[in-house]
């Protein structure tokens, strides 16, 4: 029944509306009216064409206390539909009424710039931002957008694309206009005429370090001031959020930028990373147009200091230690060039400069570029030497002597074979004279008592001696030296014995009976020696000048002196950071096949073994050297390398710790102390005390 009444009222309104003029006010009175009927009535009043989505169902209530212009009928309908969750999309003279969630997918008007329309019309607008980031504003504006509508950021164009009702877009437009403004605290440039920008910035940073806030609290952003020096233009860049604080800092800089007093042109520069002596030599070459005597541009390794010999009753000549030139000389003489006098103080690692302020400003800018933290190179080396020595001996020696005929002093014909050098333990004559002199291995013999030979004496009558020996010696020597050195600095690690070598000797007797020996000795390192000089290239790879030596004592019984085996390589290679390179592989394979025999008889098959002594030896040596350089640019990376090696040693100590046994005393194995935590950054003041710049 209510629906019939509402339909009758709508029909009456439609008839009344059709009879009125287009600009005549109308009275709207829809109570629980069906949406389809209300849209039809509005279409009659305004002359618009509507298309309703089948999902648009429900009733609306529109009541006006007094007549309203016909131009407000359509906006009133849009407001009523919005309250029911529906939206109107205008396209090509047709107004489509669809659910609000689907409205943004239809062809709504797209505008760029201010929104000129109003009401509850669905509009898509593109906002191009000038200062703020579009991605950051999305999070701020999303809560202000109707839940069924959308907002998106376009990072490439720094723009926002928003689909929403026109009235809401006007409000969002005002919000964006208030947020999209240039940031406060734009930096200003304060040029200096007298003072050095680098020195002045250090003073200002100390002065402005305390923001005036409560201890332990975060500094106030409005009170924060950033001061940066530009050495090229000798200017100071200042930035602050607070304009008044910015003005005070600028006034302070202008007050400090005053001409120096007469005679007050002596300055001190404390260096943080570079060596004062080397920097002074570089400046000397720069200002005088000469060459840097101490510097070197090549990657060649510095030669080892020569060994000296001396002669005394017991004299030993040792190698002079390799000491850098910067440590030998505590300071360099002062020099004057280009209107400046520069002196290096190695004790404080500082430069003393006496020069006019314009010249000093230029020198200060150069020193700032040179005084940087140099990268380091951590080199892991792997030296592997594998040696295999196999030898075999087999031979038969015999003698035919009749002891009875020697007793009767009668003539006897004897003979036999004799192979091997006397004194080596392989000779049958040595065995007859002394059976204990027979060498190692299997020795079989036939002994027929003893026999006395005139001129020789009593010996064992060894009629037959058969020897067989096979030896197999394998050696695997592994060394893993590690080095950490500065870029372009030579480093050397030596794990060796300092062996004395006799270079000369003299015994003087003269007329006295006392002998005065005179001997000269030269000591040399025998073992593992690794010398490396790295250079980091612009691309990040490492160029290495390397000298590797592996040596050991082979024989000390030689009358001429000690015999050593030495394998070395010297090369220059380029390796990528963190990659492994093999520098050299020396493979030595030797075979010795010897045979001592009786002519003709020794060549007879099978039986010839009674007249032959064979020996064969094969020696194979393989030496490989691997290097892995790693560029270390920060203190954190250096600490990481140290901790890794330290933890490895602690683990090895725990692994080799003896097992605890009952009733056994505590072995008290020494252990490494815990690794201390990394210290604070250099240059920080302790207890408020001032530090060097």
């Amino acid at each position: 029944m209510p629906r019939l009444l509402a339909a009758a009222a709508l029909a009456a309104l439609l008839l009344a509306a059709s009879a009125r003029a287009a600009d005549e006010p109308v009275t709207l009175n829809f109570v629980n009216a069906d949406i389809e009927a209300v849209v039809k009535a509005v279409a009659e009043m305004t002359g618009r064409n509507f298309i309703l989505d089948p999902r648009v169902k429900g009733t609306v209530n529109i009541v006006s206390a007094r007549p309203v212009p016909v131009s407000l009928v359509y906006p009133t309908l849009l407001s009523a539909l919005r309250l029911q969750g529906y939206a109107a999309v205008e396209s090509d003279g047709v107004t489509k009424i669809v659910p609000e969630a689907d409205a943004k997918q239809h062809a709504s008007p797209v505008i760029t710039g201010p929104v000129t329309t109003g009401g509850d019309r669905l509009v898509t607008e593109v906002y191009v931002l000038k200062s703020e980031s579009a991605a950051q504003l999305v999070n701020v504006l999303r809560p202000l957008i109707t839940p069924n509508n959308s907002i998106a950021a376009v990072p490439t164009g720094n723009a926002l694309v928003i689909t929403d009702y026109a009235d809401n877009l006007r409000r969002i437009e005002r919000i964006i206009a208030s947020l999209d403004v240039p940031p406060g605290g734009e930096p200003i440039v304060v040029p200096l005429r007298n003072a050095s920008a680098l020195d002045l910035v250090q003073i200002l940073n100390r002065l402005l370090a305390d923001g005036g806030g409560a201890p332990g609290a975060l500094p106030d952003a409005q009170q924060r001031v950033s001061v940066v020096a530009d050495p090229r233009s000798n200017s100071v860049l200042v930035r602050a959020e607070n304009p008044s604080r910015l003005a005070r800092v600028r006034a302070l800089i202008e007050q400090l930028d005053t001409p120096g007093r007469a005679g007050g042109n002596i300055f001190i520069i404390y260096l943080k990373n570079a060596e004062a002596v080397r920097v002074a030599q570089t400046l000397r070459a720069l200002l005088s147009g000469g060459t840097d005597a101490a510097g070197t541009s090549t990657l060649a390794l510095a030669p080892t200091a020569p060994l000296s010999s001396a002669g005394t009753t017991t004299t030993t000549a040792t190698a002079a230690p390799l000491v850098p030139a910067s440590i030998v000389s505590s300071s360099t003489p002062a020099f004057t060039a280009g209107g400046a006098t520069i002196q290096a103080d190695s004790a404080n690692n500082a430069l003393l400069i006496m020069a006019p302020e314009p010249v000093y400003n230029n020198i200060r800018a150069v020193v700032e570029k040179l005084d940087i933290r140099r990268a380091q190179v951590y080199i892991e080396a792997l030296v592997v030497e594998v040696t295999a020595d196999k030898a075999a001996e087999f031979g038969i020696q015999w003698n035919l002597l009749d002891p009875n005929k020697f007793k009767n002093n009668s003539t006897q014909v004897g003979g036999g074979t004799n192979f091997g050098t006397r004194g080596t333990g392989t000779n049958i004559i040595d065995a007859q004279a002394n059976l204990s002199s027979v060498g190692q291995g299997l020795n079989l013999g036939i002994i027929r008592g003893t026999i006395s030979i005139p001129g020789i004496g009593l010996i064992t009558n060894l009629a037959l001696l058969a020897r067989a020996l096979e030896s197999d010696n394998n050696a695997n020597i592994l060394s893993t030296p590690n080095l950490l050195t500065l870029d372009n600095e030579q480093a050397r690690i030596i794990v060796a014995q300092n062996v004395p070598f006799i270079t000369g000797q003299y015994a003087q007797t003269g007329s006295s009976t006392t002998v005065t020996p005179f001997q000269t000795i030269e000591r040399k390192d025998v073992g593992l020696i690794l010398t490396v000089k790295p250079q980091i290239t612009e691309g990040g790879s490492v160029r290495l000048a390397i000298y590797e030596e592996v040596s050991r004592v082979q024989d000390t019984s030689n009358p001429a002196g000690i015999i050593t085996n030495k394998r070395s390589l010297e090369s220059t290679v380029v390796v990528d950071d963190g990659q492994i390179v093999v520098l050299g592989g020396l493979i030595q394979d030797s075979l010795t096949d010897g045979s001592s025999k009786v002519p003709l008889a020794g060549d007879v098959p099978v039986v010839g073994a009674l007249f032959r002594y064979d020996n064969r030896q094969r020696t194979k040596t393989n030496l490989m050297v691997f290097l892995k350089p790693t560029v270390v640019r920060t203190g954190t990376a250096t600490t990481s390398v140290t901790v890794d090696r330290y933890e490895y040693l602690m683990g090895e100590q725990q692994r080799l710790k003896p097992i605890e046994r009952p009733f056994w005393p505590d072995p008290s194995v020494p252990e490494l102390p815990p690794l201390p935590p990394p210290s604070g950054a250099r240059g920080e003041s302790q207890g408020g005390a001032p530090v060097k710049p």
Side-chain angles (χ1 to χ4, degrees):
M1 189 68 180
R3 290 182 175 273
L4 293 176
L5 294 176
L10 286 174
L13 287 173
L14 291 174
L15 293 175
S18 61
R20 292 172 181 164
D23 56 350
E24 185 177 352
V26 296
T27 301
L28 301 177
N29 191 6
F30 299 100
V31 179
N32 294 329
D34 188 73
I35 292 178
E36 184 177 353
V38 174
V39 171
K40 185 176 181 180
V42 173
E44 292 291 339
M45 294 178 191
T46 60
R48 291 177 175 268
N49 300 321
F50 291 92
I51 299 178
L52 273 71
D53 190 282
R55 293 172 292 177
V56 177
K57 302 293 183 180
T59 60
V60 296
N61 295 305
I62 302 176
V63 179
S64 61
R66 58 178 61 87
V68 297
V70 177
S71 59
L72 295 180
V73 174
Y74 178 64
T76 304
L77 175 64
L78 297 181
S79 300
L81 292 175
R82 180 179 178 183
L83 295 177
Q84 297 296 325
Y86 304 115
V89 180
E90 300 176 3
S91 175
D92 297 332
V94 178
T95 302
K96 294 179 289 185
I97 300 177
V98 296
E100 187 182 54
D102 299 337
K104 59 179 175 293
Q105 299 176 0
H106 292 267
S108 58
V110 179
I111 60 176
T112 302
V115 179
T116 56
T117 60
D120 293 321
R121 292 179 175 84
L122 204 62
V123 179
T124 300
E125 184 173 7
V126 179
Y127 295 94
V128 179
L129 304 180
K130 298 179 180 179
S131 301
E132 287 295 330
S133 171
Q136 294 180 358
L137 280 185
V138 167
N139 298 327
V140 177
L141 299 177
R142 189 178 298 277
L144 305 178
I145 305 297
T146 306
N148 289 328
N149 293 324
S150 64
I151 177 174
V154 183
T156 55
N158 195 32
L160 293 173
V161 180
I162 306 176
T163 300
D164 206 353
Y165 296 102
D167 284 344
N168 196 31
L169 285 179
R170 285 184 175 183
R171 181 181 63 145
I172 293 175
E173 184 179 313
R174 292 191 296 268
I175 295 174
I176 294 176
S178 62
L179 295 177
D180 188 25
V181 295
E186 287 293 324
I188 63 172
V189 180
V190 182
L192 302 180
R193 298 180 179 178
N194 302 290
S196 170
L198 296 170
D199 293 341
L200 192 57
V201 164
Q202 293 180 358
I203 298 174
L204 292 175
N205 284 332
R206 293 183 186 178
L207 180 64
L208 302 174
D210 185 8
L218 295 176
D220 187 3
Q222 293 294 326
Q223 302 297 325
R224 187 182 306 161
V225 180
S226 300
V227 184
V228 180
D230 180 22
R232 185 184 63 83
S233 61
N234 195 35
S235 303
V236 179
L237 283 73
V238 186
R239 179 176 180 177
E241 298 292 337
N242 192 336
S244 61
R245 191 167 177 83
L246 181 64
R248 289 198 299 269
V249 173
R250 180 170 187 171
L252 180 60
I253 294 175
E254 293 175 350
Q255 292 176 5
L256 294 176
D257 185 26
T258 57
R261 296 174 299 174
N265 56 350
I266 299 179
F267 307 92
I268 300 178
I269 302 176
Y270 293 97
L271 303 181
K272 300 177 182 178
N273 301 287
E275 296 182 17
V277 174
R278 293 191 175 184
V279 174
Q281 292 170 347
T282 303
L283 293 175
R284 179 176 186 175
L286 176 64
L287 297 177
S288 62
T291 58
D292 186 2
T296 175
S297 59
T298 62
L299 197 64
L301 297 174
T304 307
L307 299 176
S308 59
S309 301
T312 57
T313 303
T314 305
T315 303
T316 302
T318 59
L322 238 138
V323 183
S326 58
I327 300 178
V328 174
S329 59
S330 59
S331 62
T332 56
F335 67 90
T336 301
T341 301
I342 301 177
Q343 170 68 46
D345 181 15
S346 59
N348 295 303
N349 197 33
L351 293 175
L352 283 74
I353 301 176
M354 184 173 63
E357 291 185 351
V359 178
Y360 167 73
N361 293 338
N362 294 333
I363 296 176
R364 186 70 173 87
V366 174
V367 173
E368 187 72 15
K369 297 295 183 181
L370 297 176
D371 187 25
I372 59 175
R373 182 188 179 97
R374 295 169 61 186
Q376 301 182 93
V377 179
Y378 177 63
I379 302 172
E380 299 174 85
L382 179 63
V383 182
V384 183
E385 183 179 6
V386 180
T387 303
D389 190 354
K390 297 183 179 181
E393 298 181 17
F394 181 78
I396 297 176
Q397 304 173 66
W398 49 268
N399 280 324
L400 295 178
L401 297 174
D402 189 355
N404 296 323
K405 292 186 177 182
F406 275 100
K407 292 179 180 179
N408 299 328
N409 293 327
S410 60
T411 302
Q412 177 179 340
V413 177
T417 59
N418 178 21
F419 304 120
T421 307
R422 295 289 302 272
T424 60
T426 62
N427 189 277
I428 191 173
I429 297 178
D430 291 338
Q432 287 179 323
N434 184 7
L435 289 177
S436 62
S437 65
V438 179
Q440 59 182 357
L442 177 62
N443 296 276
L444 298 177
I446 299 177
I447 301 175
R448 300 172 57 188
T450 59
I451 185 173
S452 179
I453 300 177
I456 297 178
L458 185 65
I459 62 173
T460 302
N461 188 8
L462 185 61
L464 178 68
L465 176 62
R467 295 193 69 255
L469 173 64
E470 182 177 356
S471 62
D472 190 352
N473 297 324
N474 296 321
N476 184 3
I477 302 175
L478 176 66
S479 301
T480 57
N482 297 331
L483 287 174
L484 180 64
T485 180
L486 285 174
D487 181 24
N488 272 328
E489 292 291 342
Q490 178 175 311
R492 177 183 287 116
I493 183 171
I494 300 176
V495 183
Q497 291 180 327
N498 197 248
V499 180
F501 291 85
I502 299 176
T503 58
Q505 55 187 356
Y506 175 71
Q508 179 183 3
T509 57
S511 58
S512 61
T513 58
T514 303
V515 178
T516 305
F518 183 88
Q519 193 175 68
T520 58
I521 296 176
E522 180 184 25
R523 290 189 175 271
K524 293 184 178 180
D525 294 324
V526 178
L528 174 65
I529 301 176
L530 175 62
T531 304
V532 180
K533 185 175 183 181
Q535 184 183 58
I536 303 174
T537 64
E538 186 66 24
S541 58
V542 183
R543 188 182 180 199
L544 299 173
I546 305 159
Y547 176 76
E548 178 87 20
E549 177 181 320
V550 179
S551 59
R552 64 173 177 266
V553 176
Q554 178 69 18
D555 187 9
T556 59
S557 61
N558 191 347
I562 300 175
I563 299 176
T564 60
N565 289 338
K566 175 181 176 181
R567 297 176 179 87
S568 64
L569 64 89
E570 186 172 2
S571 177
T572 302
V573 297
V574 177
V575 190
D576 291 335
D577 183 15
Q579 299 300 315
I580 300 176
V581 61
V582 55
L583 293 180
L586 175 61
I587 301 177
Q588 181 180 356
D589 195 353
S590 61
L591 175 63
T592 303
D593 190 2
S595 179
S596 301
K597 61 184 177 180
V598 176
L600 301 179
D603 296 329
V604 178
V606 183
V607 181
L610 299 175
F611 303 93
R612 187 173 64 246
Y613 192 93
D614 299 325
N615 58 74
R616 181 176 297 171
Q617 182 177 5
R618 181 174 184 177
T619 303
K620 186 175 183 179
T621 303
N622 191 351
L623 175 65
M624 303 292 289
V625 180
F626 301 87
L627 286 183
K628 178 186 176 182
T630 303
V631 179
V632 180
R633 299 186 182 275
T634 62
T636 304
T638 305
T639 304
S640 176
V641 172
T642 304
V643 171
D644 178 69
R645 295 289 89 189
Y646 202 86
E647 290 179 350
Y648 170 76
L649 289 178
M650 293 185 67
E652 288 296 308
Q653 280 196 333
Q654 295 296 327
R655 186 178 64 85
L656 299 176
K657 187 176 181 180
I659 301 176
E660 296 184 1
R661 302 181 184 275
F663 310 107
W664 278 47
D666 184 10
S668 300
V669 179
E671 296 183 0
L672 289 172
L675 190 66
S679 59
R682 291 186 57 188
E684 295 180 356
S685 59
Q686 302 292 336
V691 296
K692 296 190 293 185

